[in-house]
Amino acid sequence: MCGINGVFGLEKIQEPKQLIDKMNNALKHRGPDAAGVFSNEHVALGHRRLAIIDLDERANQPMKSADGRYTLTYNGELYNFRELKEQLKKYNFHSESDTEVILAAFSEWGIDALKHFNGMFAFAIWDDWEEQLFLCRDRIGIKPLYYAQANNSLVFSSELRALLASELIPRKANPKSITDYMRYATVHAPETIISNVYTLLPGHYLHVTDTSITSKKYFQFGKNSEFDPAKDISLQIREGLYRSVEQRLVADVEYGAFLSGGIDSSLLVGIMSDLRPGKVNTFSVVFEEEAFSEAKYAGMVAEKFSSQHNEIKLKIQDLLDVLPEALGAMDHPSGDGPNSYLVSKKTREQGIKMAISGLGGDELFGGYDLFKYCASISQKKWVTSFPLFLRKMAGSLYANVRSGAGSQKVKDVLVQDYFDLEYIYPNMRRVLRDDDILKLTGENQLSQNKVFQIGQQEISYESEAFHLPYLSKISLLEFNTYMSNVLLRDTDQMSMASALEVRVPFLDHHFVDLVLAIEDSVKYPHSPKKLLVDAFDGFLPSEIVNRRKMGFTFPWKEWMKKDLRQFCEEKLQALSARTFISERELMGLWKRFLNGDEYITWSRIWHLIVLEDWLQKNSIEA
């Protein structure tokens, strides 16, 4: 796991190696084990290494192929590299790394090598014979890759801060992205918060030559599922998850697993215990304050599977104390993340360089309430037959009777013209309503909702995934919005801030495709993640299976009103001084929060505070 950088088109770059050194230094936290630079008259590539597989210096990067044709800078892990190596025996290997397998695969198959890879990755590979560059990203989007055009050059990196360090990119925010951020506390790919800087989409590669830059999609979920309707469904899920976990246990360093005591992390720990001799290292953040602690459940799982359990004992104040560090670790602004930073930091301090995470289980198996909510609304399309004024009245009445953000979402759904998923879903993950944003910005009209656009592309009648079951379409939307642009981005930036690699077995693309093909009648979560639990019937203690979902429910509201009040008010005052926002409306929102307005929850204003903090730290004009 590493950090990568590069520039293609060096005509106006005077000292390319020095430029790459600056970008590499901006990514030192991602790869403290080694640094490397390659350059010729066309391209300069940089790399910072966190050594996980093959610790020998011969595996350092950028790495050249045996014949000198390809040069690679690579961030990620290729889980099937040993199997591929068996298929590529005629290649003259000099290391035991998965990096060299990518070079061998390109030597054999060219860009079609991507179809053979199973892993999480973002890499750049230079073809010296054809004088062309490929930027490639994994199917799920687990590893980030940002790029921008600057004069006659294309510059790319694992992080925005390295692009900014190149001084080739103007430090200017994208107005449309700020609207997107206000709506969802994130910016959806391919855009980023910075103007003219983009994220390479999951399952895509960029083909770059002297005359063209072309983005191409090489993978689509739901197109070639391996699900066998004639075979026992539970058996297929068990086999698929076991296979995914086993592939992700290949490492030449000490590793462990995050253990919260929830269904997903507990299952993975149990599988790891089955697959590997000796005790699995498990890590749980345990808070002294019982209301926030999951110690009881994590301990129960650790005892059942005889893991080497590590309780990282903290006070709630510890999270508060580490908040400045966490905000400083944000490469891209986000309404979430400090929790992930704390867990990663404390795990890395235990000498662990790689950890297994249960991320993705909720999105695959309907672990969120929105799965039931969307499915319920889809059965009520008859509501749209009533006149709009009656639906508005009903929505207003409901919002008055049941105050809060949830009732506002119901109100907004009732006035829609369609109850199809691509129209309903954008309300589910929304943080601020468009009416609120219009008041804050003073605009007459906002840019089109990015989540709605993604829905139109991914699950509408014209899409390749239209045939998928309804719940699987929700999963696909989660993958392309909340998971890719919030959960995975936060996991990467917060774990790599401490040089910790996180692997996510639930997001193996074969396993995802398997689960997406399963019908709603089997998958519907009558109880929490019923299909997953049924597939592992008796594997976990009943207390784990039947417990209420907890997660990190820290007292942000109280902190923002007390301990963090001065910090929050300073950031909001600074944000209100910017030209794109109304001071009166923004400070009015803050006042409503302080006065206990149930609609203005902490999360509906915290992301604005984070935005200003990030803009200030990175000297971004907005």
Side-chain angles (χ1 to χ4, degrees), residues 16-17 106 120 164 179 181 200 215 219 258 260 449 460 476 483 491 620:
K17 286 190 176 181
F106 263 77
M120 56 177 183
L164 296 173
T179 299
Y181 182 86
L200 184 61
S215 177
F219 180 77
F258 295 141
S260 69
N449 188 298
S460 66
L476 203 58
M483 190 179 74
T491 296
I620 306 298

Side-chain angles (χ1 to χ4, degrees), residues 35-48:
V37 177
F38 163 84
S39 70
N40 59 22
E41 66 270 29
H42 303 288
V43 66
L45 305 176
H47 191 264
R48 292 291 320 199

